[in-house]
Amino acid sequence: MIRANRLDDARGDLERAVELQPNFPEAHYWLGRVNVAQDRYPAAVESFRQAAGQQPSYAEARYYQGL
C-alpha cells in the first residue's frame, strides 16, 4: 500500500508540473513511467508522446512509447 501511495503522490506532482509548464519533456517522461508502473498504459503512451514531441531526440521517451 505504501508503494501505491507514493506512486499516486508522484503522479499528482507530475501532473501538476505539466499543468504549470506544459513544455517540460522530463515531467511528461516521468509521468509516463509512473503511469506504466500503475498499469495506466494509454495515459503512459500519451505522456511519452508528449515528451518525444517536445524533444525529438529524447530516445528514452521514444523507447517507452514503443513498448
Side-chain angles (χ1 to χ4, degrees):
M1 191 65 152
I2 292 173
R3 178 175 161 81
N5 288 337
R6 288 183 183 173
L7 287 172
D8 287 339
D9 290 346
R11 191 177 75 241
D13 291 344
L14 289 162
E15 286 172 346
R16 181 74 174 137
V18 298
E19 180 182 313
L20 292 171
Q21 188 173 352
N23 295 322
F24 187 5
E26 286 288 327
H28 286 287
Y29 170 77
W30 285 107
L31 179 56
R33 294 290 303 265
V34 169
N35 283 325
V36 166
Q38 293 185 315
D39 298 329
R40 298 167 45 100
Y41 300 113
V45 169
E46 178 59 23
S47 294
F48 295 133
R49 188 187 67 75
Q50 288 287 329
Q54 291 173 15
Q55 186 175 331
S57 63
Y58 205 152
E60 293 90 351
R62 292 195 179 280
Y63 172 79
Y64 278 99
Q65 183 182 4
L67 286 179

